[in-house]
Each structure stands twice: as C-alpha cells, then as structure tokens.
Amino acid sequence: MSKIIRTQKPSVLPFYAMALVFVVLCAVLPVYKLWALLAALGGAFVAFGAAQKVCPPRVVEHEVPFHTGVEDVDQMLTDIQQKLDTLHALNEALPEPQLSAAMTRMEKAGRSIVEAVEANPEKAKQVRRFANYYLPDAVNVLQQYAKLAKQGVRGENAAAIRTEVEHNAASIATAFENQLDALYAAESMDLSADITVLQNMLKGQGLS
C-alpha cells in the first residue's frame, strides 16, 4: 500500500546569508587579528541563525510504495508488487481458463504475502527465496508462454511447452499458497496453544 512520506528540506538561504556576512565582515575588519576573525565568524553564525528563522526548512511530501522502516524490505516488496502486476497483466491477456485460474491463485497468494511482510517486516527473511527466485521464474515462464501464444507458434516443441506450463501452473500456485501458509505457522501454533489452555481452564471450572 502506498505511503506518503514527509521529509524536511533545509533552505539554502541561511548558508548564503552566513557566507555573505562573513565576506562583508572580512572586508571591513582586520581579520589577520584573532579577535576580528572571531567576530567575523560569530557574525556569520548569527546571520545563519537569523536566516533559519526567516527561512525554515520546507516539508516535502513524496509517495513510496512501502514504508516499513527497513529499506531493503521496502525494495523487496516493491519488486514483488511489480512482478505481481506483470502477472496480473499476463492473466488478463491469456484466455486459457485453467491457466488463468492458477495465475489468479498465484497473484492472490503473492499479494497476501506482501501484506503479511509489510505488517511484520521481520518475516522478510522467510520470503527471500520466493521474491528472488520462485516469483521471477514463474513470471518469466508465463511471459514466454504468452509470447508463444501471441505469435501463434505451432509445432511439437511449442505445443509441448504450452502443455507443460498449463500442467504445472496449478502446482506453482500451490507452492505460492504454501509459502503464504508458512508465514503464519508460528501464529497458528501460538493460537492452537492458547485454545488448548483455554479449553483446559474451562474444563477445570466445569464449564465445558
């Protein structure tokens, strides 16, 4: 999900004011003497401070796809989202119903993975292989399939490739779903343990 990030951009005018005052004071004071040099420096810093009050930093807003607070995680999620967008576009262009259904499952699982990692960036290490290998390879295979379909390539080799892709698409979708399920394994175990404790408490109180 896109985020609006606000950052402060300092004005350059205080620096110009400091430099100008320093140059002017150096021109009128005997800066070869220590007291004069210190006076020039002091005046420059006073000018800098005054200019900062007159020209405070500007607040700049810019939109980023993700902002988890961890730069490499944000980049990984951005890459995953871009590949899922490519997968979606491919799905829109391919009419084969079974393949389309499998691609829909891939995209749904992929976007759920993105949501899970965005909410819990510490899970990012669990999906590195998915992000770096499984998803890119799947998208690449489907792009090649779409290219063959668009070009109307015939022959045994092309037919064999199309059949193989169509046959394995469901397995790839299942692998994506298993990756998503693995992200929630720890939470599932904790929930199961909590349910067991609650059941035992209820039994102990004669309520179940």
Side-chain angles (χ1 to χ4, degrees):
M1 184 180 295
S2 297
K3 307 288 184 182
I4 300 297
I5 305 302
R6 294 177 176 84
T7 56
Q8 288 190 340
K9 185 176 182 180
S11 173
V12 298
L13 293 179
F15 295 96
Y16 289 149
M18 180 174 67
L20 178 62
V21 169
F22 182 73
V23 170
V24 171
L25 291 177
C26 284
V28 300
L29 294 174
V31 290
Y32 54 86
K33 296 182 179 180
L34 181 60
W35 69 266
L37 179 60
L38 292 176
L41 289 171
F45 281 108
V46 169
F48 180 81
Q52 274 192 318
K53 294 180 179 180
V54 176
C55 305
R58 292 187 299 112
V59 176
V60 179
E61 293 186 351
H62 59 281
E63 187 175 3
V64 296
F66 300 97
H67 186 59
T68 64
V70 185
E71 185 176 352
D72 64 331
V73 174
D74 293 340
Q75 184 59 56
M76 183 188 73
L77 292 177
T78 300
D79 291 342
I80 293 175
Q81 180 169 264
Q82 290 173 348
K83 289 180 174 63
L84 291 172
D85 290 343
T86 300
L87 182 66
H88 181 82
L90 287 169
N91 194 3
E92 291 290 316
L94 294 173
E96 209 288 322
Q98 289 186 341
L99 178 59
S100 178
M103 293 171 68
T104 298
R105 289 171 55 200
M106 293 179 206
E107 182 184 352
K108 182 178 179 181
R111 296 200 187 279
S112 294
I113 287 171
V114 168
E115 291 176 2
V117 175
E118 183 181 18
N120 297 282
E122 66 276 6
K123 293 180 180 289
K125 60 184 178 181
Q126 296 177 246
V127 301
R128 291 290 181 188
R129 189 173 295 275
F130 167 81
N132 295 333
Y133 299 102
Y134 302 155
L135 178 58
D137 287 352
V139 171
N140 180 60
V141 167
L142 290 164
Q143 284 177 320
Q144 296 303 315
Y145 176 96
K147 184 178 180 180
L148 289 174
K150 184 177 180 180
Q151 293 175 345
V153 178
R154 303 300 179 188
E156 292 184 3
N157 290 335
I161 291 173
R162 288 196 298 268
T163 300
E164 185 175 2
V165 171
E166 293 167 6
H167 177 73
N168 288 290
S171 297
I172 296 172
T174 299
F176 282 23
E177 291 163 350
N178 289 340
Q179 175 69 78
L180 174 62
D181 186 60
L183 288 178
Y184 291 99
E187 287 88 340
S188 297
M189 293 177 63
D190 290 342
L191 180 59
S192 178
D194 290 343
I195 291 173
T196 299
V197 171
L198 178 59
Q199 288 175 334
N200 290 336
M201 289 175 60
L202 292 173
K203 287 180 180 178
Q205 296 296 320
L207 299 175
S208 69

